[in-house]
Amino acid sequence: MTRPTRARISRSALSANLARVRAAAPGCRVIAVVKANAYGHGLLPVARALARTDAYAVARVEEALALREAGLAHPVLLLEGPLAPADLDQAARFHLDLVIHSDEQLGMLAHYRGPARFTLWLKFDTGMHRLGFPLETFDAVLSRVKSLSCVARPLRLMTHLACAEERDHPHTRRQLERIRSTLSARGCDLSVANSAAVLTLPETLQSPRAAADAPTTPCNWVRPGLMLYGISPLPGRDAGAVGLLPAMTFETRLIALRRVATGESVGYGATWTAARDSLVGIAAAGYGDGYPRGLPSGTPVLVDGHRAPLAGRISMDMLAVDLTDHPGTPVVGDTVRLWGQGLPVERIAEAAGMIPYELVCGITQRVAMEVVD
Ligand SMILES: *Cc1c(COP(=O)(O)O)cnc(C)c1O
């Protein structure tokens, strides 16, 4: 038997989630965020399944080139822009769009001597205080950019929200106020919303035309990542509650079964002790596959479709499950689902004290990826 640990990626779930984004952001164009190997789901299969998006966004030039080599001709946006002048040559050669957020990057553009005309997304800081030009420098930045010969028109604007997952967060209200007063009145394309904002802030997502005489924040491009993978960005609300389908199912199989007598313990550190004579299953997945070691005993998995609790510490290659109360007759070879359909990764992340982003991004290279319809 080959090692049965695999992540199954559903194309139909990915495309249904893209449709969910479009329904939540009518009139907006969609930049599908596929950075970090498409949040651990596999860059190229995901990008192909999402081919009806308007654009892709990545964090690394290498990922952008992989999209081009796969024949995808969509706009591809480098979320942190060029980090060195050589990135501009690659961007020129492969027609990549650039987020520009710093004076250093303006300097690189000023020194660029090639023939390209770059499509720019000028990123302004409205309160996240991570990347972006200070809002007070808006006019100065724009006039500097307009003096550059390597820049295509029209210019586009973007900013990022720090607290969009909490509806009515005062910080979000402050950011939206700044967006309204400085960015949204310029008649430029504007991108504000990540997944959380797509779900919580429909008022930020109206096209300029729709919002012309409404006191709203026109934003005509959205930048969802997490929700495309069928994961809810909202605390306490799983994918199903917000109309998303999980795209990844992380599974393995039982490779051993054993009886453990009352008082005997299981696993490293002897942290779990049988309170009764128990049936324990050993499954072929561990932290070496990206299943977090911090998950406590009691965390659910699905063994042949039935919930069963983890027993003891996660090892590198294996984990133990208490099957004493399993309603069926577990046998070696039974499927053990770690998250996915029927077992929200949101719940597992919560049990680990992590966020679902970390879990799906943390799937390791030895896990077989399987793409299904
Ligand atoms: C990663 C990223 C996104 C996507 O965020 P999600 O929460 O996954 O939707 C959007 N915008 C920027 C700038 C990002 O870095």
Side-chain angles (χ1 to χ4, degrees):
M1 172 163 95
T2 54
R3 199 156 186 278
T5 315
R6 55 195 69 248
R8 207 166 43 244
I9 307 301
S10 162
R11 286 195 202 97
S12 55
L14 290 163
S15 61
N17 296 330
L18 177 58
R20 173 76 179 90
V21 170
R22 293 213 186 270
C28 287
R29 274 178 280 180
V30 177
I31 304 170
V33 180
V34 292
K35 63 192 178 188
N37 194 29
Y39 291 44
H41 292 63
L43 176 64
L44 294 182
V46 166
R48 289 194 190 101
L50 296 175
R52 299 177 69 145
T53 188
D54 300 296
Y56 299 106
V58 294
R60 300 163 60 238
V61 173
E62 291 84 343
E63 291 175 318
L65 300 198
L67 292 172
R68 289 289 180 254
E69 277 158 20
L72 292 160
H74 303 58
V76 174
L77 175 57
L78 287 176
L79 282 170
E80 282 94 62
L83 304 182
D87 290 349
L88 285 183
D89 299 321
Q90 298 281 52
R93 181 152 168 236
F94 294 97
H95 303 285
L96 311 180
D97 298 350
L98 305 173
V99 171
I100 295 294
H101 57 78
S102 71
D103 290 337
E104 290 77 6
Q105 292 178 328
L106 290 179
M108 285 180 216
L109 289 169
H111 285 99
Y112 175 75
R113 291 287 168 266
R117 295 285 171 274
F118 297 106
T119 296
L120 300 194
W121 290 85
L122 298 176
K123 186 166 191 175
F124 286 90
D125 180 12
T126 57
M128 173 83 170
H129 300 324
R130 188 176 62 178
L131 292 184
F133 297 104
L135 268 190
E136 307 77 69
T137 64
F138 188 90
D139 292 324
V141 169
L142 249 70
S143 69
R144 195 161 163 211
V145 169
K146 284 176 180 162
S147 75
L148 297 170
S149 56
C150 65
V151 171
R153 306 293 163 78
L155 296 169
R156 295 167 172 181
L157 305 177
M158 78 184 255
T159 190
H160 199 55
L161 299 172
C163 302
E165 68 282 358
E166 277 182 63
R167 213 181 281 268
D168 299 326
H169 196 292
H171 193 77
T172 305
R173 255 182 272 135
R174 238 180 351 259
Q175 284 197 269
L176 291 178
E177 210 32 65
R178 291 174 186 154
I179 291 166
R180 279 186 197 110
S181 61
T182 312
L183 300 184
S184 59
R186 305 288 167 152
C188 294
D189 280 8
L190 172 63
S191 173
V192 175
N194 60 0
S195 297
V198 166
L199 293 169
T200 60
L201 297 169
E203 73 271 20
T204 66
L205 306 175
Q206 303 187 19
S207 69
R209 202 166 302 132
D213 42 31
T216 55
T217 304
C219 154
N220 54 359
W221 291 76
V222 293
R223 304 190 305 273
L226 196 71
M227 73 185 288
L228 292 172
Y229 306 100
I231 303 171
S232 167
L234 308 183
R237 300 185 70 195
D238 293 340
V242 292
L244 299 170
L245 299 174
M248 177 192 289
T249 295
F250 186 22
E251 271 181 359
T252 186
R253 291 183 186 276
L254 290 180
I255 57 168
L257 281 164
R258 61 197 316 106
R259 297 275 165 194
V260 177
T262 308
E264 292 293 319
S265 62
V266 171
Y268 285 120
T271 61
W272 183 89
T273 301
R276 54 186 170 164
D277 288 348
S278 300
L279 175 64
V280 169
I282 306 300
Y287 61 82
D289 301 290
Y291 191 67
R293 184 176 171 281
L295 283 168
S297 288
T299 301
V301 300
L302 296 180
V303 177
D304 193 25
H306 299 284
R307 284 168 83 93
L310 290 183
R313 282 198 190 141
I314 314 290
S315 306
M316 187 183 292
D317 309 319
M318 287 173 275
L319 56 83
V321 193
D322 180 3
L323 295 172
T324 317
D325 294 326
H326 196 277
T329 311
V331 294
V332 167
D334 274 355
T335 297
V336 179
R337 186 165 295 179
L338 306 173
W339 65 65
Q341 198 81 49
L343 191 62
V345 67
E346 292 93 327
R347 292 279 78 77
I348 306 302
E350 204 172 272
M354 297 169 76
I355 56 172
Y357 297 78
E358 294 176 271
L359 267 58
V360 289
C361 284
I363 290 278
T364 63
Q365 217 162 10
R366 73 181 190 182
V367 174
M369 303 298 288
E370 201 176 275
V371 183
V372 299
D373 286 337

